[in-house]
Amino acid sequence: MVKEKEKDQKEKDNKLFVGVVWNCATEIKILLTALLFLSSLVIILQFLPSRFSLSSSDLQLCLSKLSSSTSTSTSEVPQVSVLSSSSSPLIQKDQIIQQGIIKRAFNSYGSAAYSFIQMGSYRGGLNTFAIIGLASKPLIVYGKPSYQCQWISDDDRNNNNNITTFGSKILPDWGYGRVYTVVVINCTFPIPVGINGSGGRLILHASDGGSGDTDVVVSTEKIEALVEAPGSLNASVFSSPPVYDYFYCGSPLYGDLSPQRVREWIAYHVKLFGEKSHFVIYDAGGIHSGVLEVLKPWIEKGYVTLQDVREQERFDGYYHNQFLVVNDCLHRYRFMAKWMFFFDVDEYIYVQPESTIQSIVNEYSGYTQFTIEQMPMSNKLCLASDAGNTERYTTYFYVAS
């Protein structure tokens, strides 16, 4: 009897063991599948490029974009006019940040090396405009890009509410560009546009011209270059006396600038040019806290406007896109001064004691520009014995009225 009970108990234990194993089979399969997936993922990651990474911040960004796209609120969406284009980004605008610094916006269009990157667009008169930007240098050199300008009036009753003209491109950096080169597009319409106060939009159609192969489709970007609100045009600025006598447009500043040198430079030239002068300085990374402290009093007194152009470093151009910056300054402020000066902060305008800057420009009042002879100066003490031992040469910074 005892043996039969032991036998029955042994059979129950065996059945229990088999039942546990059978019940755990599903969990074991899941565990093995998970291990196999993780092993495969590790192997795949070894063959991905080193620049590929996935972090928690990336996941948070994806989730934030997903949540923002499903939101029905429109109060946080920038109210800007964006033309429909498969590659056009949301148009960014210039912003005023702390201490009155103007943070400039750069709007890029196209793909790969962008076909056009707009920095600014300005009226040059009642019927002419200038669009300042960068373009892919290989496209300019090897392609056949073309530009067409279109003015669309906000007044539907105007018979000239839709007028087009050929956009003439100017390459001011003489081929110094790298991945990108500077392009100034002149849009001159046969008649004045927008002068009735109706407002309107300047549209630039930038075409890459294709490659000459009939199978290649020409790509054209439709760019809203300029928007004039109704009643915003003040045509008197083109004929009124300018606000300033002298206006300085500087090259973009970068590197570790010396605050003391900047203090000496700005004080010297404010005294040279006088009260009716203004200086526009572009920060490409060189305006650190020490230099900003030097410029702050001059900004408060109204002598200096500081613009943040650090974003242009994204686009590989010549010398921190120097020609882009100075051309933008020229067209942005050209009607605000009698004479505009273009030179660097390591250069000084020197006038002989018997002359003044006013007497010099009076001699050239019949000209639109003149160049200034440049003489290198030692960074050591200047000695009388060195006079005449240094050759002079002409540089290409110039003054334009």
Side-chain angles (χ1 to χ4, degrees), residues 375-387 390:
M375 183 177 70
M377 183 179 68
S378 172
N379 59 358
K380 300 177 181 179
L381 293 176
C382 299
L383 304 176
S385 59
D386 294 333
T390 305

Side-chain angles (χ1 to χ4, degrees), residues 104 106 119-123 130-133 172 182 184 244 246-252 278-282 305-307 309 321-337 339-343 398 400-401:
R104 300 299 302 279
F106 296 82
M119 183 178 183
S121 299
Y122 311 102
R123 262 192 185 267
I131 303 174
I132 320 299
V182 180
V184 178
Y244 303 105
Y246 308 106
F247 202 95
Y248 170 78
C249 289
S251 300
H278 195 77
F279 300 77
V280 178
I281 295 177
Y282 293 86
T305 295
L306 181 59
Q307 298 194 19
V309 294
N321 290 306
Q322 173 180 348
F323 289 102
L324 172 70
V325 167
V326 296
N327 274 276
D328 177 83
C329 187
L330 168 63
H331 291 278
R332 187 182 181 96
Y333 300 107
R334 58 179 294 191
F335 296 106
M336 295 186 67
W339 292 94
M340 301 185 75
F341 288 72
F342 302 84
F343 58 100
Y398 59 94
S401 63

